[in-house]
Amino acid sequence: MIILTQRDQSVLEAVITDYIETGEPVGSRTISKRSALNVSPATIRNVMADLEELGLLHQPHTSAGRIPTARGLRIYIDSIMQSKQLERQERDLIRDELRKRPRDVKDLLQRTSRFLSQYCRQAGVVLWPKLTVTRFKHIEFIRSGPQQVMVILISKDGLVHQTNIEWTEEITQRELDKYSSYVNELLQDLPISSVKERIREEMRSEKALFDKLVSRALEMARQAMHDSSLDDSEVYIEGQSNLLDNPEFADVARMRRLLHTFEDKSRIIRLLDVTLKASAGIQIILGTEDELQGLQEMSLISSPYGRGDRPLGVLGVIGPLRMDYSRIVPVVEFTARFISQILELADEN
Amino acid sequence: MIILTQRDQSVLEAVITDYIETGEPVGSRTISKRSALNVSPATIRNVMADLEELGLLHQPHTSAGRIPTARGLRIYIDSIMQSKQLERQERDLIRDELRKRPRDVKDLLQRTSRFLSQYCRQAGVVLWPKLTVTRFKHIEFIRSGPQQVMVILISKDGLVHQTNIEWTEEITQRELDKYSSYVNELLQDLPISSVKERIREEMRSEKALFDKLVSRALEMARQAMHDSSLDDSEVYIEGQSNLLDNPEFADVARMRRLLHTFEDKSRIIRLLDVTLKASAGIQIILGTEDELQGLQEMSLISSPYGRGDRPLGVLGVIGPLRMDYSRIVPVVEFTARFISQILELADEN
DNA sequence: TGGTAGCACTCAACCACATAGAGTGCTAGA
DNA sequence: TCTAGCACTCTATGTGGTTGAGTGCTACCA
């Protein structure tokens, strides 16, 4: 555990704030002039040397100023930084932006992602709710071939999921309708995670053993819910081009690495899944080599949305390590809360 | 109309092939050695000077070689280039790639886009089928609140579309089921473009005037089909990072412009719509300033897919002007044909 | 003992200048 | 009509010098 004196903290904060603003290494003179503590550059230099020894600052070359390391940022974020409060008008703006034209969930989340990217001038990211955490609302079997059935599954939150299944014998739409309505009745309001279980249970019941319709309907439902893609996650990343405006991406090689990472969504999904499972409010992950390969020098501010006890997905902002955390953190926090509200409303019915 | 001698054509072709390969301006000496016509560099220089005067070649500075202009490329593509035939094994590879795991349409097209990007090492692009060009298969009204109805609309090709409508009075799922089955009967197999018309017609019929259920069902269907998003297009662009590997994007400013363009999909959609409407097989658009703003120096190779008389969407490849057209054109062509086949099969039922 | 002033030192960034090499245009000759 | 040769142009690359920001260290002060 690193213990910093009040002055150390002030200097660290000053370096970081200035660095976040300018993106350039910060010299001792600048800090001496800017910061509240009235000490000379030479003194600052001593403190900075100490902070460098602790691994919180870094000097690109001997005659340059300092920039914060990931470790330095970590400490700043965890114990020094004060998140700015959102102004009322800012909150209103976010609300208006997200509330307009309440179309389907997909639209809402896509727009959220776009909004986050624009408002924070970084990349906005939203992890799509997994079906498995919502509740069953409706299923529909539709004949799409002599022995082919298209299945549409709808969750309480308004998520729509689509699969195809092959059936062993020819089947009419009329029969399928009967299956649908039976299964709908049976599974109404169940958490999707326990649907499989319920079906299996029911299949063992007396009714299923003797009633051909029931047993077939159950078999079809079983196949439909067996689909592995039920558990698939999807992720929206918007505003990647905002990242390019940061001077840290003057380097083309870096850009390329980053875009590659964004295209291979699975890695991002895995990362967001961590936040989802932690589900402990806002979370900030700094891209040191070990944690997010491919996102070195990047940083992720994210928060789960949904009910506290039942998070649906994750939303947040991806940007360079040099981001204005004190501004973006409350924006992400507020957005997550607001989206949760909207979705909860839908879920009531 | 520009008339070129045989030799002019050969030189133009040689410049372009070499330029496509290396990305560097091509000098007279290189061509003299490489090309089949055995003439000295000096002669080539004369020809090149002529071609430059015609606006087909361009010289970045006096002591550099030539690069083709968009106009030069146009002529090359239209009348000089011979598309390579696809090897059997290449065709098999494409087929295997696209046929595996026949999930829903979305998945298929997304994979197609990804495949095109990987195989051509450029960005792959797919314009999603518009609902309006397919035929009606199934509609489902689902209660999502006391006065709110979620509408799921499914087309023959397996496209799923979702809307919400507000209803003026409270309504039960049971009623909604009746509406669904009535509307399904009524609209079965109609082209979606004429569905609105059909509904209006039916609303004027005697039945609708006296039967409350019918009139309400029709009203609901009308509202559902009124949704402007029916006509929305969506577009998938994959493999943007491939573009970065081209040396022409060493320039960061250019990159940024390009990414911005890709994020504002509406422009791309408008562009692809042109191809869709022309529906005349493969089409190559070169990004001279006037045609595609934001895509300067880029080029689009695209082809509609679907039936000839009823194209569903467009797929293709976006890359720099310097692309291996002779290789990519047949790939796009074959892919479009193959995807059309797959979708047509689904449409039969 | 902690803070400060001063000074020598380091290093990137910038500029001016020189050089090499690729490629051209032009002219004279086959 | 084509080609060989030559002078010319222009970029890319490299070199050396200068500038300025910023440091570390030491000596001094309260």
Side-chain angles (χ1 to χ4, degrees):
Chain A
M1 182 56 196
I2 299 174
I3 293 171
L4 298 178
T5 68
Q6 190 56 46
R7 194 168 68 186
D8 292 344
Q9 289 195 11
S10 302
V11 171
L12 181 58
E13 180 174 15
V15 171
I16 291 179
T17 350
D18 198 272
Y19 175 70
I20 283 176
E21 212 173 294
T22 65
E24 302 280 294
V26 189
S28 54
R29 226 178 83 89
T30 322
I31 292 191
S32 159
K33 275 198 292 186
R34 285 263 196 115
S35 88
L37 26 82
N38 289 318
V39 286
S40 77
T43 311
I44 301 285
R45 282 206 283 279
N46 285 325
V47 177
M48 281 166 115
D50 292 349
L51 290 174
E52 185 164 11
E53 226 165 280
L54 289 169
L56 308 186
L57 293 182
H58 170 72
Q59 202 173 19
H61 56 266
T62 35
S63 74
R66 303 314 210 281
I67 57 178
T69 62
R71 231 174 129 200
L73 280 170
R74 182 88 270 165
I75 289 188
Y76 165 73
I77 290 167
D78 287 348
S79 44
I80 303 177
M81 174 183 86
Q82 308 271 14
S83 284
K84 293 192 191 99
Q85 285 298 312
L86 286 187
E87 308 272 330
R88 149 154 318 158
Q89 54 182 1
E90 255 181 314
R91 286 205 299 262
D92 289 348
L93 190 146
I94 297 180
R95 263 197 283 257
D96 288 351
E97 188 62 39
L98 296 180
R99 201 155 37 186
K100 74 167 78 128
R101 200 172 53 112
R103 180 69 59 81
D104 61 6
V105 184
K106 177 179 165 179
D107 187 50
L108 173 69
L109 293 183
Q110 218 165 12
R111 235 169 45 224
T112 305
S113 160
R114 202 166 314 136
F115 164 76
L116 282 173
S117 82
Q118 277 165 9
Y119 199 67
C120 303
R121 324 225 83 244
Q122 309 292 350
V125 61
V126 172
L127 180 72
W128 200 245
K130 294 194 186 196
L131 259 183
T132 38
V133 298
T134 80
R135 275 176 302 148
F136 181 95
K137 166 121 200 173
H138 192 96
I139 201 167
E140 194 70 30
F141 301 118
I142 298 162
R143 186 174 177 281
S144 65
Q147 303 188 23
Q148 278 165 349
V149 180
M150 177 188 296
V151 183
I152 308 284
L153 175 65
I154 296 160
S155 82
K156 277 252 155 184
D157 307 277
L159 298 176
V160 176
H161 183 257
Q162 178 185 8
T163 345
N164 289 304
I165 56 186
E166 301 277 331
W167 199 236
T168 44
E169 47 194 280
E170 298 216 355
I171 192 160
T172 65
Q173 183 61 50
R174 195 171 296 270
E175 274 176 281
L176 287 176
D177 287 344
K178 285 184 199 151
Y179 295 179
S180 303
S181 71
Y182 171 71
V183 175
N184 275 322
E185 195 87 7
L186 180 71
L187 300 179
Q188 198 55 245
D189 265 353
L190 273 182
I192 294 204
S193 52
S194 55
V195 156
K196 270 191 189 176
E197 182 60 29
R198 185 81 186 79
I199 293 175
R200 229 175 300 137
E201 228 170 67
E202 196 66 14
M203 281 175 116
R204 284 193 299 263
S205 77
E206 239 177 281
K207 207 170 154 200
L209 292 175
F210 294 104
D211 189 331
K212 212 161 189 184
L213 185 147
V214 170
S215 74
R216 288 199 182 164
L218 285 171
E219 171 58 20
M220 189 168 280
R222 197 189 61 78
Q223 281 193 32
M225 305 301 293
H226 187 66
D227 185 9
S228 62
S229 68
L230 268 188
D231 207 37
D232 273 3
S233 296
E234 238 182 295
V235 71
Y236 282 120
I237 306 177
E238 292 277 341
Q240 298 174 29
S241 63
N242 280 339
L243 296 182
L244 297 192
D245 295 342
N246 289 302
E248 22 265 283
F249 291 104
D251 181 7
V252 185
R254 199 151 166 198
M255 270 271 5
R256 199 178 310 180
R257 269 208 314 270
L258 186 65
L259 274 204
H260 266 113
T261 312
F262 280 159
E263 284 191 348
D264 173 19
K265 306 244 157 114
S266 61
R267 193 178 284 163
I268 310 270
I269 289 178
R270 243 175 301 144
L271 187 63
L272 291 175
D273 263 349
V274 174
T275 310
L276 184 64
K277 268 161 202 145
S279 87
I282 202 104
Q283 202 158 15
I284 300 174
I285 300 182
L286 303 180
T288 41
E289 288 74 15
D290 37 324
E291 293 186 72
L292 2 167
Q293 343 93 305
L295 285 182
Q296 290 103 335
E297 323 274 297
M298 302 298 291
S299 139
L300 165 70
I301 304 178
S302 64
S303 165
Y305 62 84
R307 273 209 218 129
D309 56 328
R310 194 176 61 92
L312 283 168
V314 176
L315 57 78
V317 168
I318 295 184
L321 282 177
R322 178 174 86 79
M323 266 198 287
D324 189 348
Y325 296 93
S326 63
R327 198 180 89 88
I328 296 181
V329 165
V331 171
V332 170
E333 227 163 8
F334 182 79
T335 308
R337 264 211 310 280
F338 187 62
I339 292 290
S340 302
Q341 269 176 36
I342 296 184
L343 290 177
E344 221 161 290
L345 259 173
D347 194 47
E348 304 278 291
N349 305 299
Chain B
M1 184 55 197
I2 298 173
I3 293 170
L4 298 178
T5 67
Q6 190 55 45
R7 194 167 67 185
D8 292 344
Q9 290 196 10
S10 301
V11 171
L12 182 58
E13 179 173 16
V15 171
I16 291 179
T17 346
D18 199 270
Y19 175 69
I20 283 175
E21 211 172 296
T22 66
E24 303 279 295
V26 188
S28 54
R29 226 177 83 89
T30 323
I31 293 192
S32 158
K33 275 197 294 184
R34 287 260 197 117
S35 87
L37 23 85
N38 289 318
V39 285
S40 76
T43 310
I44 302 283
R45 284 205 283 279
N46 285 325
V47 177
M48 281 166 117
D50 293 347
L51 291 174
E52 185 165 11
E53 226 165 284
L54 289 170
L56 308 185
L57 292 182
H58 169 72
Q59 201 172 19
H61 56 266
T62 34
S63 72
R66 297 327 206 274
I67 58 179
T69 62
R71 230 172 129 202
L73 281 170
R74 181 88 272 167
I75 289 187
Y76 165 74
I77 291 167
D78 288 348
S79 45
I80 303 177
M81 174 183 86
Q82 309 271 12
S83 284
K84 292 189 191 104
Q85 285 298 312
L86 287 187
E87 307 274 327
R88 151 157 313 162
Q89 54 184 2
E90 256 180 315
R91 285 205 298 263
D92 288 348
L93 191 146
I94 298 179
R95 261 196 284 258
D96 288 351
E97 188 62 39
L98 297 179
R99 202 156 36 187
K100 75 167 79 130
R101 199 171 52 114
R103 180 71 58 82
D104 61 7
V105 184
K106 176 178 166 180
D107 187 50
L108 173 68
L109 293 183
Q110 217 165 10
R111 235 169 47 224
T112 305
S113 161
R114 199 166 316 137
F115 164 75
L116 282 173
S117 82
Q118 277 165 10
Y119 199 67
C120 304
R121 325 227 82 245
Q122 310 292 349
V125 61
V126 172
L127 180 73
W128 199 246
K130 295 194 185 195
L131 260 183
T132 39
V133 298
T134 78
R135 275 176 302 147
F136 181 95
K137 167 120 200 175
H138 192 95
I139 202 167
E140 193 73 29
F141 300 119
I142 298 162
R143 187 173 178 281
S144 66
Q147 303 188 23
Q148 278 166 348
V149 180
M150 178 190 294
V151 183
I152 306 284
L153 174 66
I154 296 159
S155 81
K156 277 254 157 182
D157 307 276
L159 297 176
V160 176
H161 182 258
Q162 176 184 9
T163 343
N164 289 305
I165 56 185
E166 302 276 331
W167 199 238
T168 44
E169 47 195 281
E170 299 215 354
I171 192 162
T172 64
Q173 182 62 49
R174 196 171 295 272
E175 276 176 280
L176 288 175
D177 286 344
K178 286 186 200 148
Y179 294 178
S180 303
S181 72
Y182 171 72
V183 175
N184 274 323
E185 194 89 7
L186 180 71
L187 300 179
Q188 198 55 244
D189 266 354
L190 275 182
I192 294 206
S193 53
S194 55
V195 155
K196 271 192 189 175
E197 181 61 29
R198 185 81 188 80
I199 293 175
R200 230 176 297 139
E201 225 171 69
E202 196 68 13
M203 281 175 115
R204 284 193 300 264
S205 77
E206 238 176 283
K207 206 170 155 201
L209 292 174
F210 296 102
D211 188 332
K212 212 161 191 185
L213 185 147
V214 169
S215 74
R216 288 197 182 165
L218 285 171
E219 170 58 21
M220 190 169 279
R222 197 188 62 77
Q223 283 192 33
M225 304 302 292
H226 188 65
D227 185 11
S228 62
S229 68
L230 267 186
D231 206 37
D232 273 4
S233 295
E234 238 182 295
V235 70
Y236 283 120
I237 305 176
E238 293 277 341
Q240 298 174 28
S241 63
N242 280 339
L243 297 181
L244 296 192
D245 295 343
N246 288 303
E248 23 264 282
F249 291 104
D251 180 8
V252 185
R254 198 152 166 198
M255 270 270 6
R256 199 178 308 180
R257 270 207 314 269
L258 186 65
L259 273 204
H260 265 114
T261 311
F262 279 159
E263 282 192 348
D264 173 20
K265 308 242 157 117
S266 61
R267 192 177 285 162
I268 310 269
I269 289 178
R270 244 175 300 145
L271 185 64
L272 291 175
D273 264 349
V274 174
T275 309
L276 184 64
K277 267 158 202 148
S279 86
I282 201 104
Q283 202 157 16
I284 300 174
I285 300 182
L286 303 180
T288 41
E289 288 74 15
D290 39 320
E291 294 186 71
L292 1 165
Q293 343 91 307
L295 286 182
Q296 291 102 334
E297 324 274 297
M298 302 296 291
S299 136
L300 165 70
I301 304 176
S302 64
S303 164
Y305 62 83
R307 273 209 218 128
D309 56 329
R310 191 176 64 92
L312 283 168
V314 176
L315 56 79
V317 169
I318 295 184
L321 282 177
R322 177 174 87 80
M323 266 198 288
D324 189 348
Y325 296 92
S326 62
R327 199 179 87 89
I328 296 181
V329 165
V331 171
V332 170
E333 225 163 9
F334 181 79
T335 308
R337 262 212 312 278
F338 188 61
I339 292 291
S340 303
Q341 268 176 37
I342 295 184
L343 290 176
E344 220 162 289
L345 258 175
D347 195 49
E348 303 278 290
N349 305 300

